[in-house]
Amino acid sequence: DRAALERALQEASGMTVRVVSAPNSQAATTRAGTGRFDAAILPLFDYLFCQQEHGGQARLQLLRGDGQRTYRGEVLVRAADGATDLKGLAGKRVAFVDRYSTSGFLFPAALLAENAVRPDSVFTGTHKTALAELQAGRADAAATFAGAAAGDASLRVLARTEPIPNEPVFFRNGLDAATRQKMVLALLQLGQTETGRKL
């Protein structure tokens, strides 16, 4: 709920705040170099790419659940599939999110490479469509974030990635220190309330 987040951040910071979301990782990292935003919350790989290309300073990190600083990616197969380990995916069609997705491509692809598995890769654009490809039988496996298919008895986890650090909150180069500090404090304040944590 971007409008609710805008209102909450405006109240906490005393500044005018506009919250936008990019349609995909590539658009987000491209926008990071334009100076069109002051702060961003991006997945780890996107942040590292932006930091290398455009600079910026990370000041906070998102927490999940009861304070976890990491999450994992998963490689899923259909429950009836006979594969017992990643080697069973050699030459099989694996649905990934996109080349920028940390849990939907980078970490799962590294896991497959470590096991000397070369799948037939297809990029679907979103976690939801990667799962849909698997559910429809158009892919033999799908890579996504841990818990994306929770409650779906038709799918099962074949493998989990190493822990992935949660998304950092970072600020563009050249943003004045006072504005940056107001936003940091507003986000920390938001994180202390149940409504803020939901947002």
Side-chain angles (χ1 to χ4, degrees), residues 44-62:
L44 178 66
F45 176 77
D46 297 14
Y47 160 69
L48 292 172
F49 177 82
C50 288
Q51 213 286 325
Q52 178 180 317
E53 295 295 312
H54 314 298
Q57 301 173 331
R59 289 290 184 235
L60 298 169
Q61 181 187 36
L62 294 185

Side-chain angles (χ1 to χ4, degrees), residues 26-178:
Q26 187 174 2
T29 55
T30 299
R31 290 177 187 177
T34 65
R36 288 173 42 199
F37 66 78
D38 296 316
I41 300 170
L42 294 177
L44 178 66
F45 176 77
D46 297 14
Y47 160 69
L48 292 172
F49 177 82
C50 288
Q51 213 286 325
Q52 178 180 317
E53 295 295 312
H54 314 298
Q57 301 173 331
R59 289 290 184 235
L60 298 169
Q61 181 187 36
L62 294 185
L63 300 178
R64 285 183 165 80
D66 58 355
Q68 293 98 355
R69 294 182 178 275
T70 62
Y71 66 107
R72 292 181 186 261
E74 290 180 340
V75 177
L76 302 167
V77 294
R78 286 181 296 283
D81 189 294
T84 58
D85 60 30
L86 291 172
K87 295 199 182 297
L89 297 180
K92 299 279 183 82
R93 189 172 172 91
V94 177
F96 293 107
V97 176
D98 64 46
R99 295 182 196 285
Y100 288 89
S101 178
T102 308
S103 62
F105 175 61
L106 295 169
F107 273 57
L111 190 60
L112 289 164
E114 287 165 13
N115 285 273
V117 175
R118 298 185 77 180
D120 174 17
S121 303
V122 59
F123 293 95
T124 65
T126 68
H127 293 274
K128 185 177 180 179
T129 53
L131 288 173
E133 289 293 298
L134 176 58
Q135 291 162 330
R138 292 186 293 270
D140 300 296
T144 186
F145 59 90
D152 185 343
S154 72
L155 303 178
R156 67 179 169 87
V157 177
L158 185 64
R160 286 189 174 85
T161 70
E162 291 294 316
I164 303 167
N166 287 353
E167 299 84 347
V169 179
F170 72 100
F171 298 88
R172 68 170 169 82
N173 269 342
L175 183 65
D176 66 279

